[in-house]
Amino acid sequence: MSISAYTRSEHLRALWPWLPLWTVMALLAIFSHGPMPMFSTRTLAVAWEMWAHGHWLVPYINGEPYSEKVPLLFWMIHAGWAAFGVNDVWPRVLEVIFGGVQLVLASVLASRLFPARPWVAKATPWLLMALSYSFLFGLQIMYEVLLVVWVLAALLCLVPSATRSQPRWWLFALVVGAGLLTKGPVMVVHVLFPLLFGPLWNDWARQNKARWYGFGLLALLGGFAILLAWAIPAGEAGGEAYRQRLFFTQTAGRVVSKHTQGLQNHARPAWFYLLYLPVIVFPLSGWLRGIVALPTALLRKPWRPGTGAAVGLAAAALVVLLLCATVASTPAWVGKVLAVLVFVPLFVALMRQPLETGLRFLVAWLLPALLTFSLIGGKQLYYLLPELAGVILLVAACVADLRERHKTLATHYALGTWPLSVGAFLLAVALFAMPSVVPTRFPDNIWLTGMAPYARFFAVVFVVLGALLLLRGRGEMRRLAFAGLVGTVALNALFTMGLWYRYDLAPASAFLRQADAAGQPIGNLGTEYNGQYHFAGRLMHPIARINMLPGMTAAPDDDDDDAIHDGDSLHDFATHHPNGLIVSYERHPPAEAFRFARLIQPSRTGWLMIWDAPTLDALKSGRVPDEPAQPTLLFPQEYWRGRTGLR
């Protein structure tokens, strides 16, 4: 066998058995229920509207240009639809492919960063696929999983390989451009700091600073040129309002802390990520060996002068910052100052430590990125998905260091996975008790009552996983990863069996599909419409936001205008469109809904109802409407068989 053939064979063997295991679990989980509102349904709605109306340059949602997102993911969905027809199978398979590529790239990055420690490359994909949050979010048809692929690929372009020390600048530019076309300018935040601090971790960068920064800047500009090659013609095609939001307010609205009208800026305080970091890295946050390994590897003694003071300052600022999370009136600037005092001294202290190249790279990537995202006003947990791969690399590298330098700590049972085992057993006890306790103690809790009939089967699953995590000896990391992955898939299955009916919009979408095909106008009462019915119903016309009270119109009121306007009152809509339908939402369905509504189904914590517009207008005005021609449709039917007394 030739050397190249042997190398390829070794690479393929390295994928076994974690990649087949993860693929089976991911496919099982992602196809256990339909696309989730609002994440997946909104993405599919945009892709469908672009496809149905031929908007190849400008994303559209509900008849309007959609400046919140760039189009690469939509184009990928369209490529599959062109080959296989319009369906929701291809977009989900696409997300599974993205997740698998992410695991492979993380393993390759680990092998380059720690060539002398092959265990790190073996452990990285196992630990990464164990993360519950990233696995569950990977079930969504969203942009972040694809963004992780581009971020890891871009970092691989900067990291030296066994045969090449100089970065692959042209490939870096292409990958950055792909990331910009996936999620916009935030792509640069994820890859900027390893480039900016290159001389601190890269020998070639330290010896060729001018070329490193010169070519790096040109590569970033090349990536933005790829983005502008789409954005400029898209801005012209989308109109002035779309152009302004695309180039200016859409990104700026996420940077500021206060709410920006009409933009999804998700403003949250500076402590948000630090507080929830243990949640999004679970179950690693319950692995004592990984927790102990981090300071043991990063802060090994003897410390250089000033290291202790810097670490102490960072720890004190972290405590104060987390205390501020309990005080609602803390000014935003205080949180930002404390975040700086957490990350900057820690970064300086670690960079003065005699760390190996791979650890210096991870510090240069993770700490500045976490600080930047903490200072940016707009925050969502999934914004950190690319950095989670870096956290896994850091934990795996530190555990590998622990295995080499502290064999007692690396094998001591007290630092094993027993806390996670205790948690699994406690969860199993709670699940086993649910069918007996919930009907008498929590009869009104829709979440517990939904899961209770199926809970005991899953209690057995978590007993087995808890016993697995109690085992001693070799293979602790793989047992942790297997338990984390299977436990997450089990919880997703429990959600599907007990609660998915509250998220399944297929009945309402099918009803609206018939109305839309018949030319009936549709309004969404009182709340913003996020496209949740458009793809499942293959709707071809917009759904208007309708206000309940007269005098709240956002558009000029013209009695001769029969068009649907966002902001029309319910009365105006019913007057101009007597054949129209209204979708409304209530915490509890009113008694008259079972007599006059066209359709009723549970929706999250409340209820979704579809009405003839004149009927609902009459009821809201205190009048008795005409008797409906058809009985009210109740979905899901199996849910209502035991609840006929509610009607």
Side-chain angles (χ1 to χ4, degrees):
M1 183 182 293
S2 67
I3 295 178
S4 60
Y6 176 77
T7 302
R8 287 193 296 269
S9 175
E10 286 298 296
H11 287 327
L12 290 175
R13 288 180 60 193
L15 303 179
W16 178 266
W18 57 264
L19 186 57
L21 173 64
W22 182 86
T23 302
V24 170
M25 292 290 102
L27 288 172
L28 179 65
I30 204 168
F31 284 104
S32 64
H33 56 68
M36 175 71 74
M38 299 292 178
F39 290 136
S40 296
T41 55
R42 181 164 51 200
T43 304
L44 288 172
V46 177
W48 162 249
E49 194 152 349
M50 292 175 69
W51 175 273
H53 299 287
H55 300 306
W56 308 114
L57 265 182
V58 180
Y60 270 72
I61 186 169
N62 202 33
E64 297 290 337
Y66 187 51
S67 64
E68 299 292 332
K69 296 295 180 286
V70 281
L72 184 56
L73 178 59
F74 305 131
W75 290 342
M76 290 185 170
I77 293 174
H78 292 164
W81 285 353
F84 309 114
V86 177
N87 59 78
D88 63 11
V89 174
W90 165 248
R92 288 190 268 185
V93 170
L94 199 58
E95 292 296 320
V96 174
I97 293 173
F98 295 156
V101 173
Q102 170 193 155
L103 295 176
V104 173
L105 291 176
S107 179
V108 174
L109 182 60
S111 66
R112 289 194 186 179
L113 289 174
F114 304 96
R117 291 178 173 170
W119 186 87
V120 179
K122 294 179 181 178
T124 293
W126 283 96
L127 295 176
L128 185 55
M129 72 182 186
L131 295 186
S132 299
Y133 178 80
S134 64
F135 181 86
L136 291 175
F137 193 83
L139 305 182
Q140 309 303 317
I141 304 170
M142 284 285 283
Y143 321 89
E144 275 69 24
V145 181
L146 178 57
L147 180 67
V148 175
V149 171
W150 302 130
V151 170
L152 294 179
L155 296 178
L156 274 171
C157 294
L158 298 179
V159 175
S161 65
T163 59
R164 180 187 175 99
S165 59
Q166 184 175 352
R168 294 164 175 81
W169 295 115
W170 65 270
L171 186 57
F172 181 76
L174 289 177
V175 173
V176 168
L180 291 169
L181 281 174
T182 298
K183 199 67 169 60
V186 72
M187 169 65 184
V188 176
V189 179
H190 292 293
V191 301
L192 175 64
F193 297 106
L195 179 64
L196 187 63
F197 297 114
L200 296 179
W201 62 268
N202 188 299
D203 291 337
W204 190 91
R206 189 162 45 251
Q207 297 164 7
N208 303 273
K209 291 183 180 179
R211 296 175 66 189
W212 174 271
Y213 288 114
F215 284 127
L217 178 60
L218 288 176
L220 290 179
L221 293 176
F224 274 101
I226 294 173
L227 176 65
L228 290 175
W230 162 77
I232 292 175
E236 292 297 321
E240 178 62 25
Y242 172 76
R243 184 163 55 250
Q244 287 294 322
R245 292 184 62 166
L246 178 66
F247 283 98
F248 303 107
T249 56
Q250 188 271 135
T251 297
R254 285 169 167 77
V255 176
V256 298
S257 296
K258 61 182 180 181
H259 175 72
T260 306
Q261 182 65 33
L263 296 179
Q264 304 168 9
N265 71 332
H266 311 296
R268 290 184 173 90
W271 46 259
F272 180 75
Y273 288 125
L274 286 172
L275 184 65
Y276 285 99
L277 192 60
V279 176
I280 61 178
V281 300
F282 183 85
L284 262 65
S285 53
W287 188 26
L288 297 180
R289 202 172 319 280
I291 295 173
V292 170
L294 286 171
T296 303
L298 295 176
L299 295 172
R300 65 180 63 175
K301 294 185 177 181
W303 288 353
R304 292 184 177 180
T307 299
V311 173
L313 175 61
L318 176 61
V319 171
V320 176
L321 184 64
L322 295 180
L323 289 176
C324 289
T326 64
V327 181
S329 59
T330 303
W333 67 268
V334 173
K336 292 182 178 182
V337 170
L338 289 171
V340 171
L341 293 178
V342 170
F343 287 107
V344 172
L346 184 59
F347 177 82
V348 172
L350 292 179
M351 280 303 181
R352 297 181 72 240
Q353 290 288 101
L355 301 179
E356 59 186 291
T357 297
L359 290 177
R360 297 179 74 84
F361 169 87
L362 293 173
V363 171
W365 173 23
L366 295 176
L367 290 185
L370 284 171
L371 174 59
T372 302
F373 280 108
S374 296
L375 296 180
I376 291 174
K379 299 178 182 67
Q380 291 279 55
L381 290 180
Y382 53 81
Y383 290 174
L384 292 185
L385 278 184
E387 279 65 39
L388 292 187
V391 172
I392 294 299
L393 285 165
L394 182 62
V395 172
C398 291
V399 171
D401 179 81
L402 193 74
R403 289 157 59 102
E404 293 178 6
R405 297 193 306 112
H406 302 280
K407 294 188 181 298
T408 301
L409 292 178
T411 58
H412 202 291
Y413 184 72
L415 297 180
T417 55
W418 63 266
L420 295 169
S421 176
V422 172
F425 286 139
L426 291 176
L427 179 57
V429 170
L431 291 172
F432 189 83
M434 280 178 65
S436 301
V437 174
V438 169
T440 56
R441 302 293 296 273
F442 307 100
D444 297 326
N445 189 302
I446 59 175
W447 311 108
L448 296 179
T449 55
M451 293 185 292
Y454 314 98
R456 283 181 177 165
F457 170 79
F458 291 95
V460 175
V461 174
F462 283 98
V463 167
V464 173
L465 295 179
L468 181 67
L469 291 169
L470 277 180
L471 294 178
R472 295 173 177 264
R474 293 172 59 88
E476 178 183 86
M477 179 274 297
R478 286 183 173 84
R479 291 194 296 271
L480 167 66
F482 181 84
L485 178 63
V486 173
T488 304
V489 174
L491 291 177
N492 181 74
L494 178 57
F495 164 82
T496 300
M497 297 173 70
L499 295 171
W500 170 246
Y501 73 94
R502 290 191 165 272
Y503 292 81
D504 185 9
L505 299 177
S509 299
F511 189 91
L512 296 176
R513 179 177 190 169
Q514 295 179 353
D516 185 72
Q520 292 180 259
I522 302 171
N524 201 64
L525 185 63
T527 62
E528 183 178 357
Y529 175 61
N530 289 289
Q532 58 266 33
Y533 310 117
H534 253 75
F535 175 76
R538 305 296 194 270
L539 305 186
M540 300 297 293
H541 303 92
I543 292 179
R545 176 175 177 174
I546 304 301
N547 291 314
M548 187 173 297
L549 299 176
M552 298 175 61
T553 57
D557 189 12
D558 184 353
D559 291 338
D560 295 327
D561 182 7
D562 288 337
I564 306 172
H565 299 293
D566 275 340
D568 277 349
S569 71
L570 173 59
H571 179 72
D572 288 339
F573 181 86
T575 300
H576 291 144
H577 308 287
N579 68 330
L581 294 179
I582 292 289
V583 185
S584 71
Y585 311 87
E586 298 281 352
R587 191 73 172 178
H588 302 285
E592 59 268 19
F594 296 97
R595 177 181 174 188
F596 293 107
R598 298 291 300 276
L599 179 144
I600 300 176
Q601 70 168 88
S603 179
R604 297 195 176 189
T605 58
W607 298 84
L608 180 158
M609 290 155 285
I610 300 177
W611 311 75
D612 289 319
T615 298
L616 184 59
D617 181 47
L619 290 172
K620 295 297 184 181
S621 302
R623 296 179 281 110
V624 178
D626 296 334
E627 287 294 325
Q630 303 92 9
T632 302
L633 299 175
L634 303 177
F635 291 98
Q637 295 178 359
E638 59 273 16
Y639 172 85
W640 291 101
R641 288 193 183 103
R643 293 168 170 80
T644 53
L646 291 175
R647 189 171 179 180

